[in-house]
Amino acid sequence: MAYWYNINTGQVEEDGHTSRKENLMGPYPTIEQATAALDRAKERTQAWDEEDQRRAQEDDADR
């Protein structure tokens, strides 16, 4: 069974009973992972933003 996080409702949905795919994040193997989908996405986005900033600073230092 796979689980999906619905970004519109904030609810976890199960395979076979899902909303429109453009409103879903997943699939996730557990309800817990699906529930934490937005938190994990925020963490990843923050890490990528920090990496982008670090690289930009390195590029500026090389000039």
Side-chain angles (χ1 to χ4, degrees), residues 24-55:
L24 302 177
M25 295 173 67
Y28 298 95
T30 67
I31 291 174
E32 292 79 13
Q33 287 178 336
T35 301
L38 276 184
D39 291 334
R40 183 68 179 132
K42 287 176 188 176
E43 291 169 3
R44 288 180 176 170
T45 299
Q46 182 178 0
W48 291 329
D49 289 347
E50 291 169 1
E51 178 68 12
D52 288 345
Q53 184 177 12
R54 183 189 63 76
R55 287 184 182 191

Side-chain angles (χ1 to χ4, degrees), residues 11-41:
Q11 300 296 311
V12 173
E13 301 179 5
E14 296 180 5
D15 263 351
H17 300 87
T18 60
S19 302
R20 298 174 62 180
K21 296 297 184 199
E22 63 263 16
N23 298 328
L24 302 177
M25 295 173 67
Y28 298 95
T30 67
I31 291 174
E32 292 79 13
Q33 287 178 336
T35 301
L38 276 184
D39 291 334
R40 183 68 179 132

